[in-house]
Amino acid sequence: MKTLPAWIQALPMGGVFLVFFVMPLLLVGAVSFWPQNEYTLEPGFTLDNYVSLFQGCFGGGESGELCTTFKTYLSTLKFCGLVWLITLVIGFTLAYFVAFHVPSVGAQTVIFTVMTIPFWTSNVIRMISWIPLLGRNGWVNQTLQSLGLTNAPLDWLLYSDFAVVLAFVHLNTTFMMVPIFNSMMKIDRSLIEAADDAGATAWQTLWNVIVPLCRTGILIGSIFVITLVMGDFVTVGVMGGQQIASVGKTIQVQTSYLQFPLAAANAVVLLGVVLLIIVALNRLVDLRKEL
């Protein structure tokens, strides 16, 4: 039986990619140049949305402070960096334990199945579950006061940067762990034995053998975490008490007030920032070559 050419076999997936990915991006980019109207969306071309977005950001401010857009992006990048670092440490540690200290494939399967159980529920439900624990009258504050470690409830446990980072780590650690675990399972165990025979310590083997061979998984997990955190607005809104700024939250607010062109411009800028981060990560690891 004659096999169809590769380009014909790729047409169905290419069509799906075009309709559900490329066209929406092009539409958002087009809307970002439309004039802002309070009542209707009227096609046109203007740079006013981008000018409004960066107003006062390039030497226009009198007080010397950063403009609102830069502050919002710095806040988002702060969450992104903290969550990336924490999920990398936790995800790598868990992946290492499962890959090298759980010999049975069945046990590894059970562990991953248990880890996926929280994903059977909504992210919002999983975030709300922290509120009874971290609130002023929550279990954590009551326990700390009963043990005499604090004299009053700790307000920073909930509706704060700490709560936002905690929720992000809770939601995204699995996305970091799974690619790293997949890379670890592909490591030839004879390389680790050779390092041991050469007199390398456990830390030397980890740093010089395992980590370099896991860089593909680390890169993929980093892309997952960074893209999810940069565009998130639900977690910041729920765990931040609607009082912490992020780019995703700004876009959601602009959309709710029917400021679609301005929201689209913000989304285009956000996409550009995320792409720059991904390109920088790809400079460290050639993903296409590694895969």
Side-chain angles (χ1 to χ4, degrees):
M1 182 176 178
K2 188 175 180 180
T3 305
L4 293 174
W7 66 272
I8 294 181
Q9 298 181 40
L11 279 179
M13 184 57 67
V16 172
F17 181 78
L18 177 66
V19 173
F20 293 101
F21 183 76
V22 176
M23 290 183 63
L25 286 180
L26 293 177
L27 181 59
V28 171
V31 173
S32 70
F33 292 104
W34 289 7
Q36 181 68 45
N37 191 301
E38 295 182 359
Y39 304 104
T40 61
L41 281 175
E42 297 179 358
F45 182 83
T46 179
L47 296 175
D48 290 346
N49 298 313
Y50 291 95
V51 172
S52 176
L53 191 62
F54 292 103
Q55 186 174 7
C57 293
F58 302 100
E62 299 179 356
S63 61
E65 295 184 358
L66 292 175
C67 65
T68 302
T69 298
F70 281 175
K71 288 181 179 179
T72 304
Y73 272 87
L74 286 176
S75 175
T76 305
L77 290 171
K78 174 188 68 176
F79 288 129
C80 187
L82 288 173
V83 173
W84 171 80
L85 180 61
I86 297 172
T87 54
L88 177 60
V89 173
I90 297 176
F92 189 93
T93 303
L94 293 175
Y96 179 84
F97 172 78
V98 176
F100 294 102
H101 295 281
V102 180
S104 171
V105 177
Q108 293 175 349
T109 303
V110 171
I111 291 175
F112 273 102
T113 302
V114 171
M115 289 186 60
T116 59
I117 290 177
F119 287 86
W120 299 354
T121 61
S122 167
N123 284 355
V124 177
I125 300 299
R126 294 160 63 192
M127 284 185 288
I128 292 176
S129 65
W130 285 104
I131 295 178
L133 296 176
L134 302 178
R136 286 182 58 86
N137 297 318
W139 180 82
V140 174
N141 270 317
Q142 290 182 355
T143 301
L144 292 175
Q145 292 180 74
S146 63
L147 295 175
L149 299 177
T150 58
N151 297 323
L154 301 177
D155 293 329
W156 55 265
L157 289 179
L158 188 61
Y159 303 139
S160 62
D161 290 357
F162 169 80
V164 173
V165 173
L166 178 64
F168 272 137
V169 171
H170 174 209
L171 297 175
N172 297 313
T173 297
T174 302
F175 294 106
M176 179 69 78
M177 175 187 170
V178 172
I180 295 176
F181 173 79
N182 185 52
S183 295
M184 287 183 176
M185 293 302 295
K186 296 179 180 179
I187 295 176
D188 188 350
R189 297 306 191 262
S190 62
L191 296 176
I192 299 176
E193 295 177 359
D196 293 336
D197 294 339
T201 64
W203 282 107
Q204 289 174 330
T205 301
L206 177 66
W207 186 252
N208 296 308
V209 178
I210 297 177
V211 171
L213 294 176
C214 291
R215 57 187 181 181
T216 302
I218 293 174
L219 174 60
I220 295 174
S222 299
I223 292 174
F224 281 150
V225 171
I226 289 171
T227 53
L228 289 171
V229 173
M230 288 292 289
D232 186 280
F233 63 90
V234 177
T235 305
V236 176
V238 173
M239 301 305 292
Q242 307 295 336
Q243 58 187 358
I244 295 178
S246 75
V247 181
K249 185 64 180 175
T250 301
I251 295 174
Q252 185 264 330
V253 171
Q254 291 169 342
T255 303
S256 66
Y257 283 99
L258 305 181
Q259 297 177 333
F260 296 115
L262 187 59
N266 216 340
V268 171
V269 175
L270 174 61
L271 177 62
V273 172
V274 173
L275 288 178
L276 287 176
I277 295 174
I278 294 175
V279 169
L281 291 175
N282 272 298
R283 291 284 185 178
L284 301 176
V285 180
D286 190 343
L287 187 58
R288 291 175 297 178
K289 181 179 178 181
E290 294 293 332
L291 292 177

